[in-house]
Amino acid sequence: MNAISPKQTLELTVTERIEEPGNIIRLRLASPGGEPLPPFTAGAHLDIHLQDGGLDLWRQYSLCSDPATNTAYEIGVLKDPKSRGGSEAVHRLATPGARFRIEGPRNHFPLEESATRTVLFGGGIGITPMLAMAQRLHALGRDFTLHYCTRSAGITAFRSMIAASPWADRVVFHHDDEDEAQRLQLPRDLPQPDAGTHLYVCGPQGFMDWVISSAEAMGHAASHVHREYFSADVDTTGESFEVEARLSGITVTVGPEDTIAKALARAGVKIEVKCEEGVCGTCVTDVLEGTPDHRDQFLTDSEKEEGSMICACCSRACTSRLVLDI
C-alpha cells in the first residue's frame, strides 16, 4: 500500500472511541482503506472539519499517539460546555465508522529533540501533545519529566494509557483536591535554567500563563519555554480602521465589532480562518504597512515586535490603516 500524501486532505474513519474520565473521548482515526498515514512529529495537530446541519467548523486537536506509528492517529477531545460548538459536535458525531475530512498533520509546537533535559507541563486536556512528546523522548532515550495537572484523580484521563507505558515512572500527577505537597509547586517543580533544558506547557490559559511567567521569572530563556494554546479569551473589539488588501485592490473599513477576516470576506477577499481565537495560525497574513494590534496567542513575542504578520481572525490595528499582502 502507498502512504497517503501529507499535502492532501484526508478522509479518515473513526475506528475506536474510548471514553476517558473527565468527559474526554480518545478517538482512533485511520484510512478507510487501511493505507499508511502521513508521518507526524511530536506536538503536531490535526485540523478536523465538523459539519452537522447548520454547523460548519474547523477545529484543531493535538495528536496524542506515538509518532513512530503510521497505521492510525489518536486524539483526545474534551466536551467543553463553554466551547463554541466544536467539542460537543465531536462528541456527538465521532462514533465508530464515522468519517471526517481532515487536514494535516501540522506542527506549530515542535519538540527540540536535542535538548539534554525536557520538562513537560500538561493541564487537563493540554496533556494530549505531551503524551506524543513523552513517547518520542522515551524512544530517543532522553531525560524528561511530565507533570500532569488535573482537578482530581477521578477525572484524570489517559491514566491507563500512561500506566501501561514504559515511561510511566517519568510522570508526576498533581490534583487540585489533594494535599499541598502533591499539587504542582513551580518553585519546586520547575528545573533550574540551563542551556540544554527546554520546557513545554499546554492547558487552560490561566495555567499556561502561570507556568510561563514563573519560568521566565526564574531565568529560563523565552526561546526555551514552548507553549501551545488550545483556546484563548480574546477581545476582538476596538476603534475602526482601514485595511487595504493590496494584491486584491480592495480597501475595507473594519468596524468596532468586526474582524479583518470578516470585513475582507464581505468584500470578496477570503482569508482562511479556522480557530477564530488567534491560536492556530491558519489566518496569518503578511503586513506591508501599518502597525498591528496583536490579540493572538500564536505569534511569538519577537514576531509581534517585528510587526510584519498579523492573525486576521482577531487582531486589530494600532494605526488608522493596515496594508496586507493579499
Side-chain angles (χ1 to χ4, degrees):
M1 293 183 291
N2 295 320
I4 298 171
S5 167
K7 294 184 178 180
Q8 72 184 57
T9 299
L10 309 176
E11 184 177 278
L12 300 184
T13 299
V14 177
T15 59
E16 188 173 5
R17 171 178 171 140
I18 302 166
E19 302 290 338
E20 294 279 357
N23 224 3
I24 290 171
I25 54 173
R26 177 156 46 111
L27 301 177
R28 186 167 291 124
L29 303 163
S31 168
E35 298 90 349
L37 298 175
F40 73 94
T41 52
H45 69 271
L46 300 176
D47 295 336
I48 299 184
H49 193 205
L50 301 170
Q51 286 185 299
D52 183 33
L55 185 74
D56 189 354
L57 301 171
W58 283 92
R59 289 295 180 261
Q60 295 74 41
Y61 297 101
S62 291
L63 287 155
C64 60
S65 45
D66 188 346
T69 301
N70 67 351
T71 56
Y73 296 142
E74 285 190 12
I75 60 171
V77 182
L78 167 67
K79 187 177 183 180
D80 185 355
K82 296 181 292 184
S83 78
R84 292 163 297 131
S87 68
E88 291 188 347
V90 174
H91 276 248
R92 183 174 66 254
L93 301 172
T95 55
R99 293 192 180 189
F100 290 93
R101 180 185 171 203
I102 288 172
E103 292 183 358
R106 311 181 198 277
N107 199 341
H108 303 311
F109 191 42
L111 181 65
E112 177 51 68
E113 296 186 349
S114 65
T116 55
R117 186 181 185 194
T118 302
V119 182
L120 312 169
F121 294 90
I125 193 61
I127 191 65
T128 49
M130 307 304 176
L131 296 173
M133 290 182 177
Q135 292 172 91
R136 177 60 178 165
L137 290 165
H138 174 76
L140 293 171
R142 297 286 189 254
D143 178 15
F144 76 94
T145 302
L146 168 54
H147 293 277
Y148 183 10
C149 305
T150 65
R151 293 194 303 276
S152 68
I155 58 169
T156 299
F158 308 105
R159 288 191 78 106
S160 60
M161 173 184 174
I162 292 169
S165 73
W167 40 268
D169 61 340
R170 302 293 188 97
V171 182
V172 182
F173 291 93
H174 305 279
H175 307 303
D176 293 344
D177 62 354
E178 297 189 6
D179 63 81
E180 186 70 23
Q182 192 272 341
R183 298 176 197 165
L184 182 67
Q185 296 183 28
L186 293 179
R188 176 196 65 195
D189 297 322
L190 278 169
Q192 290 300 308
D194 180 86
T197 297
H198 284 252
L199 311 179
Y200 295 79
V201 57
C202 187
Q205 185 170 351
F207 169 81
M208 293 183 62
D209 292 345
W210 174 49
V211 175
I212 293 166
S213 62
S214 298
E216 293 183 352
M218 184 182 283
H220 287 275
S223 61
H224 284 205
V225 183
H226 310 274
R227 74 289 310 263
E228 182 172 63
Y229 289 86
F230 281 168
S231 63
D233 296 325
V234 57
D235 178 8
T236 63
T237 63
E239 297 295 323
S240 297
F241 59 98
E242 283 192 345
V243 170
E244 177 190 343
R246 177 150 293 174
L247 296 179
S248 304
I250 296 291
T251 298
V252 299
T253 298
V254 180
E257 303 291 330
D258 214 350
T259 68
I260 295 171
K262 290 177 181 177
L264 286 173
R266 289 195 298 270
V269 180
K270 181 174 174 57
I271 297 176
E272 187 176 11
V273 172
K274 289 184 176 175
C275 74
E276 302 175 275
E277 295 181 329
V279 296
C280 77
T282 301
C283 66
V284 170
T285 306
D286 289 336
V287 177
L288 300 177
E289 297 176 22
T291 304
D293 176 6
H294 296 289
R295 308 285 182 92
D296 66 280
Q297 298 286 359
F298 178 78
L299 297 176
T300 65
D301 289 342
S302 60
E303 288 170 336
K304 290 178 180 179
E305 289 176 10
E306 185 179 329
S308 62
M309 295 182 287
I310 191 169
C311 285
C313 74
C314 65
S315 293
R316 300 185 68 82
C318 295
T319 48
S320 61
R321 181 180 177 86
L322 289 178
V323 179
L324 306 183
D325 190 22
I326 54 174

